[in-house]
Each structure stands twice: as C-alpha cells, then as structure tokens.
Amino acid sequence: DALSPSHPAQRITFMKAACLVPLLIFLVPRYGLVGAAWSYASSTAFYTPYSFWVLHRTLELGHTQFLAIVWRPVCSALLMYLALPYLTQALGLAGLGKNIGVVMLESAIGAALFLATLLALWVASGRPVGAETRGLTFFRETLAKLVSRLRPG
C-alpha cells in the first residue's frame, strides 16, 4: 500500500520533509528567498543519496543496472551545477542581485541546461527506454492534445 509508512515513497517523502522543513525555518527568516533556495538545495543534496539507496534496494537492481539508470541525470545535474555560475556571469545576471526575477531566470537557464544535457546524453547512449522515453512520449501527447484544441473546427 502506497500510503503505508513503510512504503518507499513514504520513506523518501518523510526524509525530504525532515531535511527541508528545519532548514526553511532557520534560513528563510534570515535570508528570505535566497535562504529558501539554499534550504531546498541543501536538503536535496542530503536526501537524494538516501532516495537512491531506497530505490536501489526496493527495485532489487544490481549496481551496474542502477548506475545505468542514474548516470545521465547525475551527470546532467553536475554539469548544470558547474556551468550555471559561468553562464549567469556571461549573461550579466551576476551583478543584478538575487531578486525574484533573477532567481526565476537563473532557474529557467539551469533547467534548460539540465534538460539539454540529459537529452544529449540519452541520444548519445542510443536512446535506451527509460524516463527520457516516457517524458518525451508524455510531452508529444500533451502537445498533440493542445494543438488539436487550438485548431479551428
């Protein structure tokens, strides 16, 4: 049962909340939006390895199988993390402060960089069936529905 406290999704969600909430309580009153961003990033850095460990055990995958699944998103996230400061500097965003508009723009740039890297690695890997396949299928189906609603007649 997915609502059981012992269900992997529940354990992962609990760990995420246990990491995020105290950081939000401590950092947001002191640093505002930047504190919220650091809270989320820090808690993600802590609970993601835990999530991988729970999923690895739950799915009963060997180490090689597990690495074959996670290497593309891990490499994409690492590249995004390393490249984003240089991109924001090159685009002149670094001197604008950290207001909500700048943070949203940096987030959009980071998301685009992550997605582009993920898809490039997926294509370079021979397009194996996985989360990327499901994501692209969902995107195509959603786009087709939207286009059909917008067409007259």
Side-chain angles (χ1 to χ4, degrees):
D1 181 336
L3 297 178
S4 165
S6 63
H7 190 275
Q10 295 300 323
R11 292 195 320 247
I12 291 169
T13 301
F14 175 79
M15 181 60 78
K16 182 177 183 176
C19 293
L20 180 59
V21 171
L23 288 170
L24 287 171
I25 291 170
F26 179 73
L27 294 176
V28 169
R30 288 167 180 77
Y31 303 105
L33 182 61
V34 173
W38 275 109
S39 298
Y40 191 81
S42 300
S43 65
T44 299
F46 182 78
Y47 85 83
T48 298
Y50 173 77
S51 300
F52 283 0
W53 177 75
V54 168
L55 291 172
H56 182 260
R57 287 189 48 210
T58 302
L59 298 175
E60 298 178 351
L61 298 172
H63 295 304
T64 305
Q65 290 173 303
F66 186 72
L67 288 174
I69 294 168
V70 301
W71 79 269
R72 289 185 303 275
V74 168
C75 288
S76 299
L78 182 61
L79 180 69
M80 178 188 65
Y81 172 77
L82 295 173
L84 193 56
Y86 296 105
L87 285 173
T88 56
Q89 183 74 31
L91 295 171
L93 299 175
L96 298 178
K98 292 295 178 191
N99 63 54
I100 186 71
V102 172
V103 171
M104 289 176 65
L105 185 56
E106 289 175 343
S107 298
I109 292 168
L113 182 58
F114 175 85
L115 187 58
T117 305
L118 182 67
L119 290 176
L121 292 173
W122 177 67
V123 169
S125 299
R127 300 180 182 198
V129 175
E132 299 91 345
T133 311
R134 288 187 289 281
L136 285 172
T137 300
F138 175 78
F139 176 75
R140 285 185 193 119
E141 290 171 355
T142 303
L143 186 60
K145 288 177 189 175
L146 179 63
V147 168
S148 71
R149 288 183 185 161
L150 295 176
R151 283 194 181 139

